[in-house]
């Protein structure tokens, strides 16, 4: 049996350990029983600790949160229907706790132990206050049911009601009961996500429960499925879970056009490799957007898929840019004048350019995309509309045409100085008047 406090001391910043000690002392003074549960215990045992700690209380988490807030400050966000509270530990609270802010998590999640019932498959559950056991019973997999008691002390007694520790050791994802995936089909997504992240595998019984739960995926709202995919896209290698979802026939239940193949896996890898190159300095790139694009750009019914996921206008716009990028690729796989490449790529976001780069291995297409992204899109003529007006061109469609032509000439190296630009404009004007 593990000594949780020793694990925390070894693996977590001392500030977090102190925070848990202080919280436990507060709970003890109020006669409450307190546990650290779920991911934090799992990840500590795996040696990959995370900062956010879920605290489970046999009792009212909201009034406990309020007492922490009264004593130490900070802010409390409550969810009365679920009996949960999020204690935001701001600078003042960190000072009152006498702990360095940098070593503290921004939030402490406080949860009332509860039992859960599903009125019908894939429904959102109805909840009622319950015991630790009730609360652990409603969880997805045994590896997420480990709890460490924080109060009453001694702090750190491990509670393992469902064999989570041995499954963690053996790398097994196991549901707690046979209706688990039917009650909540999002657990199928979670199972593949944990498999991919941890290199674990569902046991045969758990995997065998998926086929009968597949039809219930249709009952999940687009928002819930979208949320699962957004979580998936924060994983290091989302393609692992997608490959499993494909082979378990999960993707086609979401939308019959949705699929996964090696091409997508490789494109994901290419995109990550591109974003990771220090010379690009691409800190702000939205990798999830790139994944969405690569997942959907080759589909016939991109609109239908976007609608099924209930993607908002922003995400839908992004995947439509992905489609435009995908369609431009064949034309980009050629020696092009820079101006021609610019016409194909103009207006595309950084994310869609990276998606395009990741979607092709054709050297010329990649060359054109990189040149556009880092050079060509910043090229402009030095003459402006005002300069043209001073040369006698009236504001008119002709002026727009001349400015565009001038930019093309700059891009293609046909003019290389303001004087050359001016000479080119005068020549075009002469040609135009000769023609009319
Ligand atoms: P992560 O590292 O991905 O954040 P986590 O285990 O902390 O993993 P959360 O999504 O934050 O995952 O959920 C917290 C806990 O709530 C989980 O450990 C799990 O026990 C439980 N849980 C979350 N979603 C479900 C679900 N759909 N069904 C049952 N239990 C769930």
């Amino acid at each position: 049996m593990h000594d949780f406090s020793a694990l925390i001391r070894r693996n977590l910043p001392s500030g977090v350990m102190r925070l848990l000690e202080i919280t436990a002392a507060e709970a003890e003074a109020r006669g409450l029983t307190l546990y650290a549960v779920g991911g934090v215990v799992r990840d500590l045992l795996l040696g990959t600790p995370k900062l956010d700690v879920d605290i489970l209380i046999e009792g009212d988490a909201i009034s406990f949160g309020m007492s922490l807030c009264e004593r130490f400050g900070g802010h409390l966000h409550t969810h009365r229907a679920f009996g949960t509270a999020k204690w935001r530990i701001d600078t003042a609270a960190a000072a009152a706790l006498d702990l360095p802010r940098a070593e503290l998590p921004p939030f402490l999640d406080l949860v009332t132990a509860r039992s859960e019932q599903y009125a019908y498959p894939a429904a959102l559950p109805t909840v009622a206050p319950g015991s630790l056991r009730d609360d652990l019973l409603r969880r997805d997999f045994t590896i997420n049911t480990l709890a460490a008691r924080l109060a009453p002390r001694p702090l750190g007694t491990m509670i393992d009601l469902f064999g989570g520790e041995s499954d963690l050791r053996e790398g097994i994802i196991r549901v707690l009961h046979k209706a688990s995936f039917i009650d909540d089909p999002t657990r199928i997504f979670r199972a593949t996500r944990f498999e991919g992240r941890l290199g674990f595998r569902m046991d045969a019984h758990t995997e065998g429960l998926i086929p009968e739960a597949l039809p219930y995926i249709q009952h999940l709202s687009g928002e819930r499925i979208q949320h699962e995919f957004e979580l998936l896209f924060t994983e290091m290698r989302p393609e692992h879970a997608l490959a499993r979802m494909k082979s378990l026939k999960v993707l086609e239940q979401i939308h019959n056009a949705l699929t996964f193949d090696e091409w997508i896996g490789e494109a994901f890898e290419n995109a990550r490799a591109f974003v990771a190159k220090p010379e690009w300095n691409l800190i702000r790139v939205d990798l999830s957007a790139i994944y969405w694009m690569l997942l959907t750009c080759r589909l016939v019914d991109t609109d239908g898929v976007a609608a099924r996921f209930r993607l908002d206008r922003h995400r839908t716009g992004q995947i439509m840019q992905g489609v435009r990028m995908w369609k431009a690729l064949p034309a980009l796989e050629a020696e092009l004048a820079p101006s021609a490449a610019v016409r194909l790529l103009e207006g595309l976001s950084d994310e869609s350019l990276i998606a395009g780069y990741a979607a092709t291995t054709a050297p010329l297409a990649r060359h054109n995309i990189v040149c556009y992204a880092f050079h060509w899109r910043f090229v402009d003529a030095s003459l402006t509309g005002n300069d043209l007006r001073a040369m006698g061109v009236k504001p008119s469609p002709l002026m727009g045409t001349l400015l565009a032509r001038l930019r093309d000439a700059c891009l293609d190296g046909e003019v290389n100085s303001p004087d050359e630009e001016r000479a080119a404009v005068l020549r075009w004007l002469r040609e135009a008047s000769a023609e009319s």
Side-chain angles (χ1 to χ4, degrees):
M1 193 57 68
H2 279 275
D3 176 357
F4 186 65
S5 73
L7 263 179
I8 301 180
R9 261 189 205 98
R10 241 197 341 269
N11 289 308
L12 284 186
S14 60
V16 180
M17 180 66 197
R18 283 286 304 135
L19 175 68
L20 294 183
E21 280 171 347
I22 293 170
T23 312
E26 280 295 308
E28 205 169 59
R30 287 174 168 69
L32 293 170
T33 307
L34 211 70
Y35 305 90
V37 284
V40 62
V41 186
R42 179 196 70 218
D43 291 346
L44 271 167
L45 289 172
L46 287 172
T48 52
K50 53 181 194 178
L51 271 189
D52 49 325
V53 181
D54 285 338
I55 300 281
L56 187 78
I57 296 144
E58 283 183 320
D60 183 2
I62 294 181
S63 51
F64 181 59
M66 279 158 55
S67 64
L68 287 172
C69 237
E70 264 163 37
R71 175 100 195 264
F72 302 106
H75 296 274
L76 200 70
H77 301 272
T78 59
H79 238 289
R80 295 243 162 234
F82 291 109
T84 60
K86 219 176 183 38
W87 180 31
R88 188 153 72 79
I89 306 168
D90 57 14
T91 314
L97 288 159
D98 198 19
L99 293 171
R101 176 95 203 269
E103 286 191 12
L104 292 175
F107 295 101
L108 200 58
D109 279 311
L110 305 165
V111 178
T112 304
R114 59 197 197 245
S115 64
E116 210 166 68
Q117 281 198 319
Y118 291 84
Y120 52 88
L124 289 172
T126 44
V127 298
S131 63
L132 169 73
R133 187 184 165 75
D134 291 330
D135 199 276
L136 296 180
L137 257 176
R138 72 184 178 85
R139 288 175 187 256
D140 46 6
F141 311 117
T142 57
I143 59 164
N144 290 336
T145 61
L146 292 163
R149 200 175 66 217
L150 303 178
R153 282 173 285 189
L155 180 148
T157 310
M158 182 77 72
I159 293 148
D160 180 7
L161 300 182
F162 304 99
E165 201 183 346
S166 109
D167 283 346
L168 205 52
R169 239 190 341 264
E170 287 171 32
I172 294 174
I173 307 288
R174 191 194 307 273
V175 287
L176 304 194
H177 59 93
K178 67 181 196 317
S180 186
F181 289 135
I182 293 178
D183 282 347
D184 180 356
T186 66
R187 292 174 185 157
I188 303 174
F189 306 122
R190 290 179 61 86
T192 60
R193 186 153 58 83
F194 284 119
E195 279 192 344
R197 184 197 306 174
L198 304 173
F200 283 19
R201 193 81 180 179
M202 285 179 247
D203 70 304
H205 170 69
T206 300
E207 193 170 327
L209 296 171
I210 291 182
E212 61 176 323
L214 287 177
Y216 298 102
I217 290 176
Q218 291 172 31
H219 301 303
L220 291 172
S221 68
E223 286 84 353
R224 287 183 75 191
I225 304 178
Q226 182 199 140
H227 178 67
E228 292 299 326
F229 273 64
E230 292 292 351
L231 289 176
L232 176 60
F233 289 157
T234 65
E235 297 288 335
M236 298 283 279
R237 287 185 185 77
E239 57 271 25
H240 291 336
L242 288 171
R244 278 289 271 162
M245 284 196 241
K246 160 82 177 149
S247 71
L248 293 165
K249 305 189 186 308
V250 171
L251 292 179
E252 64 204 59
Q253 291 294 328
I254 299 172
H255 188 286
N256 56 17
L258 200 63
T259 191
F260 178 83
D261 57 17
E262 248 174 61
W263 182 91
I264 297 177
E266 277 165 25
F268 276 25
E269 251 179 69
N270 293 340
R272 283 194 301 272
F274 186 94
V275 171
K277 283 191 185 171
E279 66 266 32
W280 302 143
N281 199 16
L282 294 169
I283 305 157
R284 285 166 189 280
V285 162
D286 176 0
L287 191 56
S288 300
I290 300 172
Y291 289 148
W292 277 111
M293 290 179 203
L294 292 171
L295 187 65
T296 55
C297 67
R298 296 173 306 160
L299 302 179
V300 184
D301 189 13
T302 317
D303 287 326
V305 171
R308 174 61 182 114
F309 279 103
R310 303 270 299 168
L311 297 183
D312 61 14
R313 278 177 47 183
H314 181 62
R315 275 274 186 256
T316 306
Q318 286 174 323
I319 68 168
M320 291 309 170
Q321 286 223 335
V323 173
R324 194 187 134 198
M325 179 74 240
W326 171 249
K327 289 189 174 154
L329 280 177
L332 287 163
E333 289 171 16
E335 295 266 9
L336 290 179
S339 59
V342 168
R343 249 188 299 286
L344 289 165
L345 295 171
E346 196 138 50
L348 288 172
S349 63
D350 287 358
E351 282 79 5
S352 31
L353 295 173
I354 298 170
Y357 181 96
T360 179
T361 48
L364 275 173
R366 286 187 158 188
H367 169 81
N368 285 326
I369 292 170
V370 169
C371 286
Y372 172 76
F374 294 100
H375 181 52
W376 295 336
R377 65 171 148 170
F378 306 111
V379 171
D380 215 346
S382 23
L383 297 193
T384 64
N386 282 339
D387 296 318
L388 295 199
R389 216 187 294 186
M391 292 168 72
V393 182
K394 297 205 167 50
S396 62
L398 174 66
M399 182 180 278
T401 312
L402 286 172
L403 284 169
R405 201 167 164 192
L406 204 47
R407 182 171 169 229
D408 285 356
C410 290
L411 276 162
D412 297 341
E414 290 162 7
V415 292
N416 297 294
S417 68
D419 283 347
E420 288 184 17
E421 288 180 27
R422 217 168 260 117
V425 171
L426 291 173
R427 194 172 63 246
W428 297 332
L429 285 172
R430 272 198 306 278
E431 285 166 6
S433 65
E435 275 167 23
S436 59

